[in-house]
């Protein structure tokens, strides 16, 4: 029997990661973006439909150069490296709806149509271009966005990559024509860019610096690996103009709404590509008369033991190596709990191990203890359903008179916090603050563990109802806690629900007493191998 049914949201949620450039193997930052999107996608899916997009960006000069150095076709190189990102998503249980590639036929068609639409509206023109070009970023930067680096070379202020002065004939996009329109949109929708610091940064830049028209093509004589400019075989479409369109390709553009992805989207991006997603992309969409995204969530980067990850320091954290040693659940939990979109996060091996041990000690252990042979979860559920706990305060007082008030107060607090756990976590999860959501989750587990210790149900021999009460409070906490944490640690939460013999996994049952049909066979440990075990701290990380 289920209680507390909430019903479902009807508007589909659409969330995207950046599409990852296939010039190198996946790193921790790629996984971080994936998990931010995946946990939010899974949370939305608790109450309605959701679509998550991730994938790879596969055109451009860097790919062409690497392919030429290896003596292979660029598409073959993309096939090989793109698979690495698919594998990362699979290993860490990232439940994307589509893995898009910019070499996909429907994407090439969408980009071609998008270009032609913008051109037909008069927003493109051909001209000579001279400026500071970054090969690494595959973009020209205006004078205001470059500076001299420590070694005397010119670099981009935003990405810190080297730039060179270059002249060529390109197609240009009239970026400046939409500057005031974008400013107006941002001022009317301050939630469009989060965190607030990034919103302030972009708005200040737009108000203080005139946007220069943007070069959106490259000579085909230099860039061979790209989408041709419609009607001009001498030019290839600029890789960022190409790549950004992926977000609407997945929605069936130009027939938006013809797929499972429903535009507009919420974008997850790293701070190094904020300008592309909060200035260029909205303006491209304005020019094509396509609605703007709902929101752009900008996250910071990961440090390792307080320092930027680098091969020379030997502190690069490989996500696959970490997964293979510690497992999926602890890596997902750590990266989610230590999320800080406003400042760089720090990967500490000791903090990681401490978090993993706490996951085992406070969460998994509570459920495995109450699932032992000394207890009977199914009987405790039946006792609750039959109202046998209605006089539980008198039973607690009779057995533990000196601690009765403390236990009763704790029991009431636990019951209330379990009943409201989903509602307590929801505003934090929907606003990309899972750290606060997990704080609520850990508090409930702390109360449940303390009640179990104070009640000492394993020592109760003469009051089966009281013993079943403590059993139920622990099992019910574990059930609801598992339901709400499923978006963050889906494998372990699923295993814990199996351990409790919970058949209903609907979030509508995430209320105290919301499922009175679980527990049958749960107290046979032989049927339930431990889903997570302690491992010693990894001594060192291989330099990648």
């Amino acid at each position: 029997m289920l209680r507390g049914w909430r019903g479902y949201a009807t508007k589909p949620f659409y969330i995207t990661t950046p599409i990852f450039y296939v010039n190198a193997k996946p790193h921790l930052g790629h996984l971080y973006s994936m998990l931010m999107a995946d946990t939010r996608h899974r949370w939305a899916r608790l109450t309605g439909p959701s679509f998550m997009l991730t994938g790879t960006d596969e055109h451009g000069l860097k790919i062409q150069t690497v392919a030429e150095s290896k003596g292979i076709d660029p598409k073959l190189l993309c096939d090989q490296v793109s698979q690495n990102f698919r594998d990362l998503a699979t290993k860490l249980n990232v439940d994307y709806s589509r893995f898009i590639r910019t070499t996909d036929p429907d994407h090439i068609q969408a980009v071609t149509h998008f270009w032609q639409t913008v051109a037909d509206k008069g927003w493109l023109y051909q001209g000579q271009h001279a400026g500071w070009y970054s090969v690494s970023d595959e973009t020209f930067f205006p004078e205001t966005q470059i500076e001299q680096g420590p070694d005397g070379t010119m670099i981009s202020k935003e990405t810190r990559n080297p730039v060179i002065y270059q002249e060529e004939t390109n197609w240009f996009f009239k970026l400046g024509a939409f500057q005031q329109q974008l400013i107006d949109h941002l001022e009317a929708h301050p939630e469009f860019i989060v965190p607030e610091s990034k919103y302030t940064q972009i708005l200040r830049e737009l108000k203080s610096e005139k946007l220069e028209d943007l070069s959106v093509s490259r000579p085909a004589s230099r860039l061979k690996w790209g989408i041709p400019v419609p009607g001009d075989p001498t030019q290839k479409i600029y890789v960022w103009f190409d790549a950004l369109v992926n977000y609407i390709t997945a929605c069936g553009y130009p027939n938006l709404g013809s797929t499972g992805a429903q535009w507009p989207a919420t974008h997850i991006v790293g701070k190094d590509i904020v300008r592309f997603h909060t200035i260029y992309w909205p303006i491209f969409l304005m020019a094509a008369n396509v609605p703007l995204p709902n929101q752009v969530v900008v996250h910071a980067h990961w440090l390792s033991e307080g320092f930027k990850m680098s091969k020379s320091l030997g502190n690069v954290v490989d996500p696959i190596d970490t997964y293979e040693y510690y497992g999926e659940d602890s890596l997902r939990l750590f990266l989610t709990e230590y999320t800080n979109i406003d400042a760089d996060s720090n990967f500490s091996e000791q903090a990681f191990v401490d978090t993993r041990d706490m996951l085992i000690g406070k969460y998994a252990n509570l459920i495995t203890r109450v699932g032992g042979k000394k207890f009977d979860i199914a009987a405790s559920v039946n006792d609750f359903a039959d109202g046998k706990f209605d006089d539980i305060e008198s039973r607690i007082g009779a057995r533990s008179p000196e601690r009765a008030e403390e236990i009763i107060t704790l029991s009431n607090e636990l019951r209330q916090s379990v009943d409201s756990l989903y509602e307590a976590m929801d505003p934090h999860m929907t606003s990309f603050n899972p750290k606060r959501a997990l704080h609520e989750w850990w508090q409930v587990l702390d109360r449940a563990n303390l009640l179990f210790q104070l009640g000492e149900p394993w020592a109760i021999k003469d009051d089966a109802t009281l013993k079943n009460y403590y059993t139920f409070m622990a099992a019910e906490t574990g059930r609801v806690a598992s339901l709400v944490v499923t978006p963050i640690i889906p494998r372990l939460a699923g295993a814990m629900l199996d351990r409790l013999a919970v058949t209903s996994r609907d979030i509508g049952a995430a209320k105290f007493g919301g499922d009175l049909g679980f527990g049958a066979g749960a107290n046979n440990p032989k049927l339930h191998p431990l889903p997570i075990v302690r491992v010693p701290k990894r001594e060192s990380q291989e330099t990648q």
Side-chain angles (χ1 to χ4, degrees):
M1 180 171 65
L2 301 181
R3 297 178 179 175
W5 174 250
R6 293 182 177 84
Y8 283 115
T10 56
K11 186 177 181 180
F13 183 67
Y14 177 34
I15 191 164
T16 73
T17 72
I19 52 172
F20 307 114
Y21 204 56
V22 293
N23 63 323
K25 65 184 293 186
H27 55 66
L28 197 68
H30 297 129
L31 176 59
Y32 183 44
S33 293
M34 285 185 179
L35 290 182
M36 279 190 68
D38 183 56
T39 54
R40 182 65 183 88
H41 165 59
R42 289 175 180 270
W43 188 264
R45 214 168 50 189
L46 292 176
T47 55
S50 180
F51 191 100
M52 175 185 164
L53 181 71
T54 191
T56 44
D57 180 3
E58 303 183 8
H59 291 126
L61 189 59
K62 283 186 288 185
I63 303 300
Q64 177 181 307
T65 302
V66 173
E68 288 173 350
S69 70
K70 293 178 177 290
I72 61 176
D73 183 76
K75 179 60 164 61
L76 178 60
L77 174 67
C78 293
D79 290 344
Q80 295 170 352
V81 183
S82 179
Q83 188 60 45
N84 294 335
F85 289 89
R86 285 183 185 265
D87 292 344
L88 177 66
T90 299
K91 289 178 185 295
L92 272 299
N93 204 358
V94 174
D95 194 19
Y96 57 80
S97 308
R98 177 178 175 180
F99 190 98
I100 195 169
R101 301 175 58 184
T102 55
T103 51
D104 289 344
D106 65 334
H107 177 69
I108 294 172
Q109 292 170 9
V111 171
T112 302
H113 188 279
F114 192 85
W115 177 284
Q116 195 62 60
T117 299
V118 173
D120 290 345
K121 292 179 179 294
W123 300 119
L124 297 176
Y125 65 93
Q126 200 168 26
Q128 286 290 122
H129 184 68
W132 295 97
Y133 184 73
S134 167
V135 175
S136 296
D137 301 309
E138 301 210 23
T139 189
F140 283 95
F141 287 98
E143 288 279 354
T144 56
Q145 294 297 314
I146 63 165
E147 65 185 11
Q148 192 172 61
D151 61 355
T153 61
M154 303 306 292
I155 61 173
S156 159
K157 290 181 181 178
E158 182 177 345
T159 67
R160 315 305 294 172
N161 290 323
V163 294
I164 56 174
Y165 197 78
Q166 193 166 287
E167 296 182 7
E168 60 189 28
T169 299
N170 294 330
W171 285 92
F172 288 82
F173 177 86
K174 297 178 182 178
L175 198 69
F178 295 90
Q179 185 163 0
Q180 188 58 49
Q181 189 175 337
L182 181 56
I183 290 172
D184 292 344
H185 180 79
L186 292 180
E187 290 184 331
H189 303 90
E191 76 288 348
F192 182 73
I193 303 172
V194 294
E196 185 179 358
S197 59
K198 294 302 178 186
Y199 167 80
T200 302
Q201 171 194 326
I202 294 299
L203 187 58
R204 183 187 300 120
E205 178 182 330
L206 286 167
K207 286 185 170 184
S208 62
E209 301 173 10
K210 184 179 184 301
L211 289 178
E212 298 180 6
D213 288 350
L214 182 68
S215 170
V216 289
S217 74
R218 301 291 181 263
S221 59
R222 180 165 63 87
L223 176 61
K224 301 177 179 63
W225 183 238
I227 299 175
V229 169
D232 185 357
T234 69
Q235 296 280 309
K236 299 287 187 179
I237 295 176
Y238 168 46
V239 66
W240 271 104
F241 193 97
D242 158 11
L244 289 165
V245 174
N246 91 90
Y247 302 128
I248 55 176
T249 297
C251 300
Y253 180 82
N255 300 312
L256 292 177
S258 59
T259 70
Q262 299 293 310
W263 187 258
T266 296
H267 297 315
I268 304 290
V269 303
K271 66 179 182 180
D272 55 328
I273 53 174
V274 61
R275 183 180 177 88
F276 299 101
H277 285 83
T278 60
I279 297 179
Y280 296 172
W281 179 226
I283 287 179
F284 291 165
L285 292 169
M286 289 174 179
N289 199 29
V290 175
L292 301 196
N294 281 326
Q295 191 173 58
V296 181
V297 180
V298 185
H299 67 71
H301 292 166
W302 277 85
L303 307 176
S304 177
E305 307 297 346
F307 296 94
K308 184 178 179 180
M309 295 187 199
S310 72
K311 293 181 180 180
S312 60
L313 291 176
N315 68 342
V316 175
V317 180
D318 185 291
I320 298 298
D321 288 350
T322 305
Y323 153 79
E324 290 178 346
Y325 187 81
Y326 289 115
E328 167 197 325
D329 304 295
S330 49
L331 182 52
R332 285 184 63 109
L333 178 67
F334 182 82
L335 293 184
T336 302
E337 185 159 22
Y338 279 73
T339 291
N340 184 352
I341 63 174
D342 213 358
D344 290 342
S345 300
N346 183 47
F347 186 98
S348 161
E349 194 81 13
Q350 188 58 56
F352 186 99
V353 171
D354 291 345
T355 298
R356 190 177 192 277
D357 287 347
M358 190 162 65
L359 181 65
I360 295 170
K362 291 187 176 183
Y363 174 49
N365 192 49
L366 175 68
I367 294 172
T368 53
R369 285 182 73 184
V370 80
K373 290 182 178 180
K374 292 183 178 181
F375 306 103
D376 190 334
I377 294 174
S380 76
V381 173
N382 288 335
D383 279 1
F384 174 80
D386 293 341
K388 291 185 178 180
F389 302 150
D390 291 349
D391 65 340
I392 205 65
E393 292 187 7
S394 62
R395 291 176 179 272
I396 293 172
R399 179 171 178 80
S400 308
E402 71 289 349
R403 308 200 73 168
E405 183 177 353
E406 179 185 4
I407 292 174
I408 292 169
T409 299
L410 180 60
S411 294
N412 291 334
E413 289 176 350
L414 177 59
R415 178 170 183 152
Q416 291 168 8
S417 61
V418 168
D419 193 58
S420 61
L421 183 55
Y422 171 83
E423 287 80 7
M425 293 176 67
D426 184 57
H428 302 305
M429 291 296 292
T430 55
S431 61
F432 296 94
N433 191 358
K435 184 174 185 176
R436 286 294 306 163
L438 283 167
H439 177 73
E440 301 287 346
W441 187 73
W442 285 119
Q443 281 192 321
V444 168
L445 290 174
D446 284 341
R447 290 190 182 106
N449 278 287
L450 180 57
L451 181 63
F452 201 73
Q453 287 300 113
L454 292 177
E456 299 180 333
W458 58 88
I460 298 176
K461 308 295 184 183
D462 55 353
D463 191 339
T465 298
L466 183 59
K467 181 177 182 177
N468 280 348
Y469 171 74
Y470 289 121
T471 300
F472 178 76
M473 292 298 286
E476 182 67 349
T477 300
R479 182 187 69 83
V480 174
S482 297
L483 288 174
V484 298
V485 85
T486 296
I488 298 171
I489 46 173
R491 189 206 67 85
L492 182 58
M496 291 293 94
L497 289 168
D498 289 342
R499 185 70 181 81
L500 293 167
V502 176
T503 56
S504 173
R505 308 294 167 95
D506 196 283
I507 198 62
K511 301 290 286 183
F512 190 89
D515 180 358
L516 302 183
F518 77 99
N523 293 91
N524 186 348
K526 291 183 179 180
L527 299 178
H528 305 283
L530 291 175
I532 185 171
V533 296
R534 298 184 191 275
V535 296
K537 178 184 175 183
R538 181 174 54 174
E539 290 302 320
S540 63
Q541 301 162 25
E542 292 185 8
T543 301
Q544 301 301 315

